[in-house]
Amino acid sequence: MKMSNMYFHTLREDPTEAEIASHKLLLRAGMIRKLVSGVYGFMPMGYRVLKKIEQIVREEMDAKGAQEILMSAIQPAELWQESGRWYAYGPEMFRLKDRHERDFCLGPTHEEIFTDIIRTEVNSHRQLPLNLYQIQTKYRDEKRPRFGLLRSREFIMKDAYSFDKDWEGLDKSYKEMYDAYSRIFTRCGLEFRAVEADTGAMGGSDSHEFTALSEVGEGVIAYCEKCDFAATSERAQCVDDPLNQNEEELPLKEVLTPDKKTIEAVSSYLSINPNRTIKTLLFKTGNEMAAAVLRGDRELNETKLVNALAIPEHLLEFASEEEVREITGSDTGFAGPVGLKNIKIIVDSELVHMRNMAAGANKTDYHLQNVNYGRDYEGTLVTDIKLIDEGYPCPKCSEPVKLAQGIEVGQVFKLGTKYSESMGAFYRDENMEEKVMVMGCYGIGVTRTMAAIIEQHHDDNGIMWPIAAAPYHVIITVINTKNEKQMDAAVKIYKSLQQAGAEVLMDDRDERAGVKFKDADLIGIPLRITVGKKAADGKVEFKLRREADLYEMDIEEAIGKAIDIIKKEQ
Ligand code: ATP
Ligand code: MG
């Protein structure tokens, strides 16, 4: 492609709304354009990158025998009502009505749609297993669309759904997809980890998230350097502290704690370690209220709480001051588990063994001391609701765990029979007996992956695409387009490279060399061949975007070197 003919528009300044590198660089390099918050269009160069990533995904999915189809974005409400998710999905779903007042949504995901196809068209064991996928636009009205392509409201996802005869079959399909994902993200040049994940709104049993390591990622993973434990922070199990389980139970007593509303204030006022206090958090969960009770120095893991309460995530809200007063009869800051009535109480498992703790008295300006589980209060449910932190013992081997931030680029789930049962996806086995299909689902954020690649591959001057995702492999920068010798040499290189299968951009614009170099760095073309004065002697300059060094060489050598690198890294 000759840049003089190309639709190409860069920005000189960083757009003010962009906070992170991928967002800034995609906009500045003119690869994407924003329409409204969280909704972007792809310009020629950005679209080429997108297609490259899609192609990698496609090749690896096809290699595992998955078959590509394309379903609609518009989905009828009835299918979601059947699975029970029309109400569970919440405000993230874009909902609409047609002229006959019939309800629809713009698909945030496609479990219902794929299950519907299979239940109507597949009925024999001979037709299984099956794995169907699509690369398609998804819609989610995110609470906080931000970071450009990382969290948008319209984005492209590859979603696949496997249908097996039994759980053994699902294990196999799941493993195939896990392997395909590892290959896909490796080919995209990402440094990533596959970690155990929560199954959340999807339902089902096992799940892994593929996390591209990055400081701007919204995901936190916990991992152990001594063993193979690695999980998202939402999922990571926490080990209970055996702190004071053998202490003798002391009599409960009420103490005046005027205006001491936080764990820090109460523990320093009572001269105790925060790990001897109990924190009681009150929530509204739709029409009901709930309390989460855990040790004062722990953080609540909201995902674990939502799972314990068996409610959709969007229903969990902090109780207002009035609601706190209604439940506890006191101001905020004095809630405690003793005497709480008419609400669900989820108690962290660790507290069951903790003796003689301090907790709010449900009375303004008072706390209780020597609070003991069983004697003084009980939970509706006792389970682990702690959020893991750096240094907590590994749940597998007890070594201190590490935390890292990352971008969730993909997730695989063993759905089991959740959708096949609720929506009736059955088949007949060898003995003509009716059996329920066992499903898996597998998603990759294709547009998010594009942004994740930039987060891991950029410098102050711009993007540094790996060859496999680059919009073009080589850019030929012509210093003086009015000089015939330079143009002749550039065209020769351009044609030879193209003949050898390289994707080439020729910067033949009537611009200063400095502008051309800047643009080449910004758009991040991996190889640059600069054609300047020495073209008359058959010499050009060769440079890798990811390295600082420039090499002067013969035209033929530069062509050969470029082809070698492209073949090796493509
Ligand atoms: P998140 O926790 O980041 O909201 P999710 O777990 O809800 O994502 P999935 O339902 O697992 O997402 O969707 C599959 C993949 O789609 C994700 O792994 C992610 O790469 C991508 N994805 C999800 N939401 C968005 C979004 N708002 N913008 C871009 N990509 C997204
Ligand atoms: Mg996910």
Side-chain angles (χ1 to χ4, degrees):
M1 180 85 203
K2 291 183 178 155
M3 281 180 86
S4 56
N5 298 332
M6 190 175 191
Y7 179 67
F8 171 64
H9 181 78
T10 57
L11 304 179
R12 237 177 266 271
E13 306 279 323
D14 277 341
T16 49
E17 83 258 31
E19 297 163 64
I20 60 165
S22 61
H23 192 191
K24 282 182 198 164
L25 293 172
L26 281 165
L27 286 169
R28 271 191 52 206
M31 302 223 172
I32 62 169
R33 283 285 166 258
K34 177 175 136 180
L35 188 60
V36 289
S37 164
V39 181
Y40 295 88
F42 291 81
M43 298 300 107
M45 206 113 49
Y47 192 39
R48 284 181 73 95
V49 175
L50 184 58
K51 286 190 284 189
K52 290 267 174 89
I53 300 170
E54 287 183 359
Q55 192 51 28
I56 292 174
V57 171
R58 205 166 262 132
E59 285 170 13
E60 298 299 336
M61 292 299 292
D62 291 350
K64 296 294 185 191
Q67 295 169 68
E68 187 172 6
I69 63 171
L70 180 60
M71 299 307 293
S72 62
I74 292 197
Q75 306 184 2
E78 289 82 355
L79 289 177
W80 288 79
Q81 283 155 353
E82 253 187 85
S83 72
R85 286 207 295 180
W86 184 251
Y87 303 104
Y89 216 95
E92 228 178 64
M93 186 188 260
F94 275 106
R95 295 162 203 260
L96 60 151
K97 284 186 194 293
D98 72 3
R99 63 176 70 202
H100 308 294
E101 290 290 300
R102 184 173 167 196
D103 286 312
F104 291 86
C105 70
L106 296 178
T109 174
H110 276 66
E111 281 75 16
E112 283 78 359
I113 307 302
F114 277 63
T115 310
D116 181 54
I117 309 174
I118 296 300
R119 71 174 168 184
T120 39
E121 292 175 2
V122 173
N123 47 39
S124 160
H125 65 96
R126 278 186 230 99
Q127 295 163 285
L128 296 174
L130 267 178
N131 186 334
L132 299 180
Y133 77 97
Q134 63 177 349
I135 298 175
Q136 188 257 8
T137 306
K138 298 278 183 280
Y139 296 87
R140 292 185 186 179
D141 196 0
E142 296 279 355
K143 198 172 186 179
R144 292 180 68 201
R146 59 188 193 143
F147 295 161
L149 298 186
L150 278 191
R151 186 168 298 286
S152 42
R153 298 196 294 167
E154 179 180 282
F155 59 96
I156 296 175
M157 194 201 284
K158 184 288 298 175
D159 46 328
Y161 305 86
S162 67
F163 299 84
D164 274 282
K165 287 185 274 195
D166 48 31
W167 284 88
E168 233 174 31
L170 170 61
D171 288 346
K172 226 173 123 200
S173 300
Y174 186 85
K175 170 82 174 44
E176 296 274 29
M177 287 296 102
Y178 185 102
D179 292 346
Y181 277 36
S182 302
R183 287 187 52 87
I184 289 167
F185 296 123
T186 303
R187 284 182 64 185
C188 285
L190 286 175
E191 192 191 340
F192 67 94
R193 291 191 78 131
V195 304
E196 268 184 52
D198 184 64
T199 48
M202 292 293 170
S205 52
D206 279 352
S207 176
H208 285 86
E209 253 178 43
F210 287 76
T211 304
L213 301 177
S214 161
E215 279 175 8
V216 304
E218 294 177 290
V220 176
I221 58 173
Y223 63 96
C224 178
E225 284 177 328
K226 286 275 152 58
C227 75
D228 63 355
F229 168 76
T232 64
S233 61
E234 289 119 19
R235 168 74 171 196
Q237 196 196 328
C238 292
V239 180
D240 290 347
D241 193 341
L243 191 61
N244 54 354
Q245 53 186 323
N246 295 325
E247 267 180 33
E248 203 178 304
E249 291 189 0
L250 300 173
L252 192 66
K253 76 174 183 216
E254 195 178 83
V255 284
L256 181 68
T257 50
D259 221 27
K260 307 294 175 228
K261 298 182 179 184
T262 61
I263 293 293
E264 296 79 67
V266 172
S267 43
S268 81
Y269 186 74
L270 297 176
S271 303
I272 52 174
N273 190 310
N275 67 17
R276 300 297 301 258
T277 67
I278 292 175
K279 165 152 89 182
T280 305
L281 302 166
L282 298 170
F283 293 92
K284 198 172 149 171
T285 59
N287 298 328
E288 295 184 357
M289 307 295 291
V293 182
L294 67 169
R295 210 170 73 179
D297 60 329
R298 304 290 198 188
E299 282 297 321
L300 173 69
N301 181 326
E302 289 193 12
T303 305
K304 289 180 184 173
L305 179 64
V306 160
N307 291 344
L309 289 166
I311 56 164
E313 201 180 323
H314 66 93
L315 283 188
L316 191 73
E317 274 178 87
F318 273 108
S320 66
E321 270 180 40
E322 289 98 87
E323 284 158 347
V324 170
R325 200 180 304 278
E326 239 169 73
I327 300 167
T328 65
S330 69
D331 288 355
T332 312
F334 301 96
V338 183
L340 271 189
K341 280 196 201 77
N342 304 325
I343 67 169
K344 274 198 183 141
I345 304 173
I346 311 296
V347 175
D348 184 68
S349 46
E350 181 172 71
L351 285 180
V352 172
H353 313 288
M354 300 252 157
R355 293 285 153 261
N356 306 323
M357 306 289 279
N362 296 321
K363 184 170 162 188
T364 302
D365 288 341
Y366 284 90
H367 276 77
L368 295 174
Q369 279 195 305
N370 305 327
V371 174
N372 290 302
Y373 187 84
R375 185 190 71 178
D376 306 317
Y377 72 102
E378 275 182 3
T380 326
L381 186 73
V382 175
T383 185
D384 167 32
I385 50 169
K386 295 177 281 303
L387 185 65
I388 201 155
D389 201 355
E390 182 98 28
Y392 277 23
C394 167
K396 272 197 182 165
C397 77
S398 302
E399 281 296 313
V401 297
K402 298 238 161 172
L403 296 189
Q405 263 173 289
I407 300 164
E408 179 200 326
V409 282
Q411 189 166 8
V412 291
F413 294 90
K414 285 186 187 170
L415 291 175
T417 57
K418 179 179 153 107
Y419 296 91
S420 42
E421 238 158 45
S422 62
M423 298 183 64
F426 299 109
Y427 71 96
R428 289 194 184 279
D429 70 4
E430 292 83 347
N431 307 316
M432 292 305 282
E433 255 179 64
E434 192 164 79
K435 293 260 168 72
V436 65
M437 293 182 206
V438 185
M439 290 174 57
C441 77
Y442 318 91
I444 289 183
V446 178
T447 41
R448 185 182 279 187
T449 296
M450 181 168 163
I453 295 173
I454 299 178
E455 288 302 334
Q456 289 190 1
H457 299 272
H458 72 271
D459 63 12
D460 290 344
N461 300 322
I463 306 169
M464 300 156 86
W465 292 114
I467 294 267
Y472 292 89
H473 302 136
V474 189
I475 184 164
I476 303 168
T477 305
V478 192
I479 300 293
N480 180 0
T481 49
K482 298 204 175 74
N483 179 306
E484 231 170 84
K485 291 230 168 69
Q486 291 187 24
M487 275 312 285
D488 286 351
V491 169
K492 185 181 157 202
I493 301 168
Y494 183 63
K495 289 197 171 142
S496 308
L497 283 171
Q498 275 186 333
Q499 265 161 19
E503 297 169 22
V504 199
L505 204 54
M506 180 156 79
D507 196 347
D508 58 344
R509 294 174 301 165
D510 185 16
E511 289 279 3
R512 282 180 296 117
V515 171
K516 293 184 184 181
F517 289 142
K518 267 211 159 96
D519 281 347
D521 280 354
L522 176 62
I523 59 179
I525 307 301
L527 306 172
R528 191 179 82 201
I529 297 176
T530 307
V531 183
K533 275 192 194 131
K534 292 202 177 162
D537 316 323
K539 299 262 185 222
V540 291
E541 220 174 61
F542 186 91
K543 186 182 177 298
L544 288 175
R545 173 69 181 88
R546 62 178 182 239
E547 288 175 13
D549 298 334
L550 294 166
Y551 304 93
E552 190 179 281
M553 56 182 81
D554 289 341
I555 289 179
E556 290 310 322
E557 195 189 346
I559 294 170
K561 206 169 155 92
I563 299 296
D564 281 352
I565 295 174
I566 295 164
K567 285 214 174 110
K568 213 163 82 204
E569 298 184 19
Q570 207 167 17

